[in-house]
Amino acid sequence: VRGSRVSRQPGGKEIRLVPDREKLGSMGIQPSVVGQQVQTYIQGTRATVLRTDGDEFDVIVRLPREERLGIQQLLDAPIVIPGIGTAMLGDVVSIEETEGPLTIERENQGRVVNVRAFLSGDEDLGGIAREMREKIGGMDVPPEFSIMVKGETEEQEETFKALLIGILLAVVLVFMVMAAQFESFLHPLYIMFSIPLAGIGVIIMLLLTGTTFNIQSFMGCIVLTGIVVNNAIVLVDYINLMRRERGMMVLEAVSVSTRRRLRPILMTSATTILALSPVALGLGEGGDTQAPLARAVIGGLFVSAAISLIIIPVMYNLVEGWRERRALRREDAAE
């Protein structure tokens, strides 16, 4: 990180007037009355409002400038004591020279000190936050204090939680739509299997390009959820068509459908990848911002094409072939 700074600066010098409570008590006057009179002498008190020609002016009463420039002049100022008369301010107060904070920052009614810094670009935000938490965990923090990592780190973590809910919701919605279209809960499972495996391509692409897993790449994963199932839908739907209308056995339908759907699957994947390539290169001003999203989609889509043509046919043949053989044995037993 760079440009680190602490919000709490060295305190400024201040003079405190400490009232002699015993003496004031013997005079029958509260320390707050003395404080109000001192405030009138230094800052002034609004005595009335002057109205002239439609304008209003506050009338402030306080000591003349030459009588409030020094400490001794202030101590010589008279304090009105009801029922007794007046006394010099220096007779009822003592002076302490101390240092006080220039500003006091609060959050949720608690005093805080902020330590701010900026990223230097040598490491991602998540890695810096993890290292900071490790070092903070090894510190001896007094029980009345607490240390929190906030700012962009906190916002990023909250955003990741929201995006995680978004990707889970996307998976559920995609499954519901396919279950309604296929009128089956089993066939959509073959297709949904391509979603987690597409994550392999995302990880490989991000590692090859040196891209961090950030909010943009996370959004790319959500977009990928709806894209990677397209190839699998085309394949599984064609296999079902061959079995239903051509009366093919499972192995034959899978073999024929995979060969016939090879070109459409490669064409749709290639066109999408090529269309996203300029964005993935991060060309132009601000291109690096959207590049992680495109890279995540390209990596996942590239691997999903292989999954659609290899893994899904194998899974379909294993499960549906087993169901087909079991149905044939039941028919033979019935005869």
Side-chain angles (χ1 to χ4, degrees), residues 234-245:
V234 170
L235 181 59
V236 172
D237 183 66
Y238 198 79
I239 294 173
N240 293 337
L241 180 65
M242 293 294 101
R243 294 180 61 191
R244 184 173 59 252
E245 296 188 0

Side-chain angles (χ1 to χ4, degrees), residues 209-285:
T209 57
T211 306
T212 60
F213 190 74
N214 50 33
I215 295 176
Q216 291 295 328
S217 54
F218 207 139
M219 292 178 62
C221 294
I222 297 178
V223 175
L224 197 61
T225 303
I227 295 179
V228 296
V229 298
N230 293 339
N231 295 332
I233 290 174
V234 170
L235 181 59
V236 172
D237 183 66
Y238 198 79
I239 294 173
N240 293 337
L241 180 65
M242 293 294 101
R243 294 180 61 191
R244 184 173 59 252
E245 296 188 0
R246 302 291 178 85
M248 294 182 180
M249 302 296 286
V250 173
L251 182 58
E252 182 183 6
V254 169
S255 178
V256 171
S257 300
T258 304
R259 290 197 302 271
R260 293 183 179 179
R261 295 295 94 186
L262 173 61
R263 180 178 295 179
I265 289 175
L266 292 179
M267 288 176 61
T268 55
S269 299
T271 53
T272 306
I273 290 174
L274 291 175
L276 289 172
S277 295
V279 183
L281 293 175
L283 302 177
E285 186 176 355

Side-chain angles (χ1 to χ4, degrees), residues 200-211 294-296 298-300 302:
I200 299 174
V202 175
I203 296 174
I204 293 175
M205 177 60 74
L206 295 181
L207 290 176
L208 291 178
T209 57
T211 306
R295 292 168 186 171
I298 289 174
F302 185 83

